[in-house]
């Protein structure tokens, strides 16, 4: 009897593994990308953004990315997270008249919670903060002297008037209950105060956005009459068009084409570690047509060949090229940072706006304003030419073209999931290395595997330890006189995220940074 049960269990697992094969996942993504392309062509002038990480698989033509987490919109866990402000999305929408954000979900819902609640909360809080900011400036405007009236802040008042109908209300989709809507509404004032006290650059948002932000929802079940599609600039708001890429059937669905049969997986782009086998969205789209046309029988071998050729290509150029260890394919499964302490202070960031793109189309090097600090992925370090020093926080070293051997430091920092104290143990060395070089006026690139987590956390420790509230290098003087709170550290993180818009520091690594900042001070550099 026991053997019979075990056989049934193994058979069921085998069927599920077959249903959730690599071919089925990527074929599903490919089919859903056609829908995404059709929607983006309705408003071709609006930039197309991918909500990391799932959304990044659904188009080869994204303008940029954003990071709105579904967990911030889960029922009774609603949050406006100042560690993920996504201000670049609001600025881009203001410049272009709106934007389109793509995401997906596998839970049988039409939209993920990131679109149903996280983004609507975000738009509402930003609208309220802009409204408060403009009203405040209008009130204090007459009291400002002539010299002050020439500042960029007063320019906002002179060029903008707060519309009486500026929409600060909360717009949620119809499927969110009135009870939940009321509960979210009760916290809007608190979240608005958090944003206003975080040091975020509300002035730039107020200059950029001529109309309030408002979400719109489009899924594969949405009926759109092509002869009645409105021009986005005809609306009295700045549209944030939320496109849920996948069908909401909630289960795998058998589909057949003239050549192959396959199983459709809704939200297949989610949890890529469990199925992608080292394939990235960019690599997939570079070979999408060949892969899809290969069919299920030849698919896995073709993917393996593409990944290996890419690895060799990177290795020949001195870039990070790890061997891909393929684990048994798992079933497709689903995958806050800091406490909120009020603080009225602001970190001086309004005059910084520089991002330098690298020659690698996958990544950017992000310069953190005028700090002489840059953050990026390790694979860029081999070819970067406009930095004096490199601090490599990846577990693997890379070959770099620097004349001075002391201009390169490798600290093999492990992610917090592998070692809960690795970052904390290396931070003193990282900050001291930065102090030594920044004090000489040198530029420093801090890099890690993806340029999104460990390197961002190291930069956070450096910026907090060595720069004052105005963003000026002071050799750690202000840090030695300051008691660092989680809110103070969050403000520095907001500063970094304004430039490194793909930053996604993990909670475990941020905890280690706070332990370093609150428990230790920088050792003197000899």
């Amino acid at each position: 009897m026991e053997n019979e049960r075990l056989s049934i269990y193994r058979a069921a697992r085998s069927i599920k593994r077959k249903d959730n094969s690599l071919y089925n996942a990527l074929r599903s993504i490919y089919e859903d990308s056609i829908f995404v392309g059709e929607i983006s062509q309705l408003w071709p002038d609006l930039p197309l953004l991918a909500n990391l990480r799932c959304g990044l698989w659904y188009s080869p033509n994204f303008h940029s990315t954003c990071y709105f987490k579904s967990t911030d919109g889960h029922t009774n866990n609603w949050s406006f997270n100042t560690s993920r402000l996504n201000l670049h999305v609001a600025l881009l929408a203001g410049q272009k008249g709106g934007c389109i954000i793509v995401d997906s979900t596998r839970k049988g819902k039409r939209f993920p919670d990131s679109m149903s609640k996280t983004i609507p909360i975000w738009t509402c809080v930003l609208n309220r903060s802009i409204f408060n900011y403009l009203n405040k400036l209008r009130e204090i405007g007459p009291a400002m002297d002539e010299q002050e009236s020439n500042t960029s802040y007063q320019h906002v008042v002179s060029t903008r008037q707060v519309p009486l109908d500026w929409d600060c209300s909360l717009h949620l989709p119809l499927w969110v209950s009135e009870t939940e809507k009321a509960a979210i509404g009760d916290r809007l004032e608190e979240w608005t105060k958090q944003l206003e006290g975080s040091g975020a650059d509300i002035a730039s948002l107020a200059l950029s956005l001529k109309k309030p932000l408002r979400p719109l929802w489009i899924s594969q079940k949405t009926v759109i009459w092509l002869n009645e599609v409105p021009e986005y600039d005809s609306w009295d708001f700045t549209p944030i068009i939320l496109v849920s890429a996948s069908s909401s059937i909630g289960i795998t669905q058998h589909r057949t084409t003239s050549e192959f049969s396959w199983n459709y997986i809704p939200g297949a782009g989610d949890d890529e570690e469990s199925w992608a086998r080292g394939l990235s969205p960019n690599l997939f789209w570079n070979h999408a047509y060949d892969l899809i046309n290969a069919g299920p029988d030849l698919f896995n071998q073709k993917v393996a060949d593409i990944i290996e050729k890419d690895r060799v290509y990177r290795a020949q150029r001195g870039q990070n090229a790890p061997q891909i260890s393929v684990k048994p394919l798992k079933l497709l499964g689903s995958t806050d940072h800091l406490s909120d302490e009020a603080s009225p202070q602001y970190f001086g960031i309004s005059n910084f706006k520089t991002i330098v793109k690298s020659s690698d189309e996958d990544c950017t090097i992000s310069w953190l304003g005028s700090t002489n600090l840059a953050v990026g992925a390790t694979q860029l370090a081999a070819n970067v030419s406009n930095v004096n020093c490199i601090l490599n926080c990846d577990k693997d070293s890379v070959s770099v073209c620097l004349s001075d051997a002391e201009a390169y430091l490798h600290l093999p920092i492990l992610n917090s999931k592998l070692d809960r104290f690795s970052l904390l143990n290396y931070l003193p060395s990282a900050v001291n290395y930065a102090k030594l070089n920044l004090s000489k006026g040198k530029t420093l690139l801090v890099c890690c595997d993806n340029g999104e987590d460990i390197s961002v956390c190291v930069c956070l420790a450096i910026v907090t330890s060595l720069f004052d509230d105005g963003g000026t290098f002071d050799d750690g003087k202000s840090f030695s006189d300051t008691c660092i709170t989680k809110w103070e550290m969050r403000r520095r993180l907001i500063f970094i995220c304004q430039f490194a818009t793909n930053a996604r520091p993990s909670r475990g690594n941020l905890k280690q940074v706070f332990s370093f900042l609150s428990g230790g001070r920088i050792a003197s550099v000899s």
Side-chain angles (χ1 to χ4, degrees), residues 128-302:
R128 291 164 65 103
S129 294
I130 292 170
F131 182 79
N132 292 343
Y133 176 82
L134 292 174
N135 270 333
K136 196 174 297 182
L137 284 184
R138 187 171 60 179
E139 291 171 2
I140 66 174
M144 303 179 89
D145 59 34
E146 185 176 348
Q147 182 177 1
E148 289 175 315
S149 67
N150 292 326
T151 66
S152 60
Y153 294 97
Q154 189 61 21
H155 178 67
V156 178
V157 180
S158 63
T159 57
R160 291 288 312 279
Q161 294 297 323
V162 184
L164 296 177
D165 59 347
W166 184 269
D167 188 2
C168 291
S169 56
L170 176 64
H171 293 277
L172 292 169
L174 296 176
W175 53 87
V176 177
S177 69
E178 289 298 321
T179 302
E180 189 170 5
K181 182 176 180 179
I184 294 172
D186 290 341
R187 300 195 60 184
L188 289 173
E189 185 65 26
E190 171 193 347
W191 291 329
T192 304
K193 289 179 180 178
Q194 287 180 12
L195 175 60
E196 293 172 348
S198 69
D201 191 359
I202 306 299
S204 293
L205 292 178
L207 275 172
S208 178
L209 285 164
K210 304 302 185 291
K211 302 175 184 178
L213 299 165
R214 181 167 175 176
L216 300 174
W217 295 268
I218 295 179
S219 74
Q220 291 196 24
K221 288 189 175 181
T222 303
V223 177
I224 299 176
W225 300 99
L226 296 181
N227 60 338
E228 296 180 5
V229 174
E231 295 292 334
Y232 62 88
D233 54 3
S234 67
W235 289 318
D236 58 357
F237 54 85
T238 302
I240 305 295
I241 300 174
L242 307 177
V243 178
S244 182
S246 294
S247 170
S248 58
I249 55 176
I251 56 173
T252 57
Q253 181 187 71
H254 190 73
R255 297 187 180 184
T256 303
T257 65
S258 58
E259 296 177 283
F260 311 113
S261 63
W262 52 287
N263 291 311
Y264 173 78
I265 305 170
D270 197 14
D271 194 23
E272 60 194 39
E273 289 89 355
S274 67
W275 59 266
R277 301 194 179 191
L279 195 69
S280 67
N282 186 63
L283 204 54
F284 166 63
W285 282 110
N286 285 341
H287 304 275
Y289 301 109
D290 290 340
L291 286 172
I292 296 302
N293 292 331
D297 294 337
L298 302 175
F299 192 81
N300 285 2
Q301 185 57 51
K302 264 194 167 294

Side-chain angles (χ1 to χ4, degrees), residues 16-30 57 262-263 265 268-269 271-280 284 291-292 295-296 298-307 326-327 329-330 332:
K16 287 183 178 180
R17 278 196 295 270
K18 185 176 181 180
D19 287 344
N20 294 312
S21 68
L22 183 59
Y23 180 80
N24 286 336
L26 291 175
R27 182 66 193 244
S28 301
I29 288 169
Y30 182 79
W57 287 91
W262 52 287
N263 291 311
I265 305 170
D271 194 23
E272 60 194 39
E273 289 89 355
S274 67
W275 59 266
R277 301 194 179 191
L279 195 69
S280 67
F284 166 63
L291 286 172
I292 296 302
L298 302 175
F299 192 81
N300 285 2
Q301 185 57 51
K302 264 194 167 294
V303 169
D305 291 343
I306 289 170
I307 292 173
V326 180
K327 298 179 180 179
L329 189 64
K330 298 179 182 178
L332 286 175

Side-chain angles (χ1 to χ4, degrees), residues 4 8 25 37 39 57 75 79 91 100 105 153 192 197 209 235 245 399 428 433 456 464 481 485 491:
E4 184 179 348
I8 294 173
I39 298 301
W57 287 91
T75 303
S79 174
L91 291 170
I100 302 171
T105 182
Y153 294 97
T192 304
L209 285 164
W235 289 318
S399 299
Y433 182 74
V456 171
T464 307
D481 299 329
T485 63
R491 288 172 51 234

Side-chain angles (χ1 to χ4, degrees), residues 417-438:
K417 291 182 178 179
L418 301 175
D419 187 334
R420 291 187 298 144
F421 304 103
S422 180
L423 177 60
L424 179 61
N425 292 334
Y426 279 113
L427 276 179
S429 299
V431 174
N432 275 299
Y433 182 74
K435 180 179 181 180
L436 177 65
N437 288 285
L438 293 175

